[in-house]
Amino acid sequence: MKDSAYIAAAWIGSFGAVGLYAAALIARGRRLSKVVPQDRRRWMSEGSAPRRRP
Amino acid sequence: MTVDNPVPAAPGPISTASTATRVLGLISIVGLVALAVFGLVLSPPDAKLGETIRILYMHVPTVSTAYLAFVITAVASIAYLWKRTEFWDLLAASCAELGVLFFGLTILNGMLWGKITWGVFWRWEPRLTTTAVLMLTYIGYLAVRQIPNDTRTRGTITAMIPITHKAVDWWRGLHQEKTIFGTVNPDMRGLQLFTAYLGLVVFLVLFAWLLIHRFRVAWLTERAADVGVDAAIAERRAERALGSDPTPSPGGAS
């Protein structure tokens, strides 16, 4: 295998992995946003509240 | 609690995006395109490393970002043990996941670079071994997070970070000496040095963008669980109210 193939694999692998992760993250955020009421989507508004554990 | 419950769609924006994340996302995409142009086309081959320097343009930013993520995870974990607030807990978890992503890419790029340079994908030399151990540790960290009430273990696990970070100084292995941050006079010059720093900046912006989204997803996951609990409580109250409802029976009693 030529060096250029390893170089291409490194770049395509990195860009592809980051792209897939970002797409999955945004899709997950959209899915969750449909479930959570808007008043609970104010980021960090309850950030100082003690953590609730089951 | 799963998010697939048949809960009515909540009003408002249906994403974790905001103006800031859109700007960061745009900068990230433009920066990645520019990095590809400089890293694969404009930057000349290195006198020592040859064309393999093009892999290092990806390897160095990913490892730097991964270390940054793990340092933030460690700091956030300590802050959580001190403050016990949800913000620090979710920040640590979000950074750990991103750290695993970027560390995975670091190892992938390192293996490809090693195959060209050393002739093998992997060697059990100190830096590589401790790097693999650190990655496995954080995968374990993410697994441990699935166990409720285990916050102290989380803080302990993150203590592995300084060991790996200093491994390159403690042991002399096959791995490259640090060339950008580790020396006063970097070995790289001109377009090579510019491309390397461009990669670092682009990946920092990319990391910030992903971190904001990841944190918001973690936040939403917690709130979605609350919604499920609230719905269950409301349902139970409704059942109780129905059970004690003084509706007259067909026989006319009470």
Side-chain angles (χ1 to χ4, degrees):
Chain A
M1 207 160 139
K2 285 185 175 180
D3 292 357
S4 56
Y6 291 111
I7 294 168
W11 282 73
I12 292 170
S14 299
F15 275 45
V18 170
L20 285 175
Y21 178 81
L25 196 61
I26 290 169
R28 195 175 161 199
R30 284 177 176 272
R31 201 166 62 241
L32 283 164
S33 294
K34 291 176 183 173
V35 176
V36 179
Q38 189 178 13
D39 60 335
R40 295 188 187 185
R41 271 182 271 151
R42 295 176 62 84
W43 317 117
M44 295 166 55
S45 62
E46 300 171 41
S48 59
R51 179 140 181 76
R52 194 178 83 178
R53 280 289 181 194
Chain B
M1 162 69 193
T2 63
V3 296
D4 299 326
N5 287 348
V7 178
I14 51 166
S15 76
T16 50
S18 59
T19 305
T21 59
R22 288 190 184 97
V23 171
L24 285 174
L26 186 64
I27 294 172
S28 299
I29 292 169
V30 172
L32 286 171
V33 172
L35 180 62
V37 171
F38 275 97
L40 294 173
V41 181
L42 299 180
S43 174
D46 186 67
K48 290 181 186 173
L49 299 170
E51 295 289 342
T52 63
I53 194 173
R54 303 189 194 286
I55 294 181
L56 297 186
Y57 290 143
M58 192 57 61
H59 179 69
V60 173
T62 52
V63 72
S64 303
T65 310
Y67 274 124
L68 174 65
F70 289 153
V71 168
I72 295 175
T73 303
V75 171
S77 296
I78 292 167
Y80 173 67
L81 290 174
W82 179 31
K83 295 283 188 181
R84 299 281 176 185
T85 58
E86 188 176 34
F87 170 81
W88 295 112
D89 185 43
L90 297 182
L91 180 64
S94 303
C95 280
E97 187 175 298
L98 289 175
V100 168
L101 170 72
F102 285 109
F103 234 39
L105 295 177
T106 299
I107 291 175
L108 169 72
N109 293 328
M111 288 172 68
L112 293 167
W113 184 85
K115 178 63 177 170
I116 298 173
T117 309
W118 302 333
V120 291
F121 283 111
W122 187 266
R123 286 198 174 180
W124 293 105
E125 60 108 21
R127 185 74 188 275
L128 296 182
T129 305
T130 49
T131 299
V133 168
L134 181 64
M135 170 120 177
L136 290 174
T137 302
Y138 273 89
I139 290 173
Y141 169 95
L142 293 174
V144 167
R145 284 194 59 83
Q146 303 302 315
I147 304 170
N149 297 325
D150 203 31
T151 52
R152 295 193 185 279
T153 305
R154 268 179 248 159
T156 306
I157 286 173
T158 51
M160 274 294 295
I161 291 171
I163 297 173
T164 304
H165 184 65
K166 296 300 290 181
V168 71
D169 300 324
W170 291 343
W171 290 289
R172 290 276 179 174
L174 290 171
H175 199 276
Q176 289 282 102
E177 289 290 320
K178 290 178 282 186
T179 52
I180 293 181
F181 294 127
T183 58
V184 177
N185 297 312
D187 296 334
M188 293 180 175
R189 301 256 181 252
L191 262 182
Q192 292 177 349
L193 187 63
F194 173 78
T195 307
Y197 277 120
L198 176 67
L200 287 172
V201 172
V202 168
F203 270 74
L204 279 178
V205 175
L206 178 67
F207 171 72
W209 179 55
L210 290 173
L211 178 59
I212 293 172
H213 276 291
R214 183 63 189 87
F215 179 87
R216 289 175 177 177
V217 164
W219 180 269
L220 284 174
T221 304
E222 295 290 313
R223 298 291 80 78
D226 293 345
V227 169
V229 170
D230 292 347
I233 291 171
E235 190 178 340
R236 184 59 58 87
R237 281 178 179 162
E239 287 174 2
R240 187 181 297 172
L242 204 62
S244 61
D245 189 6
T247 305
S249 64
S254 76

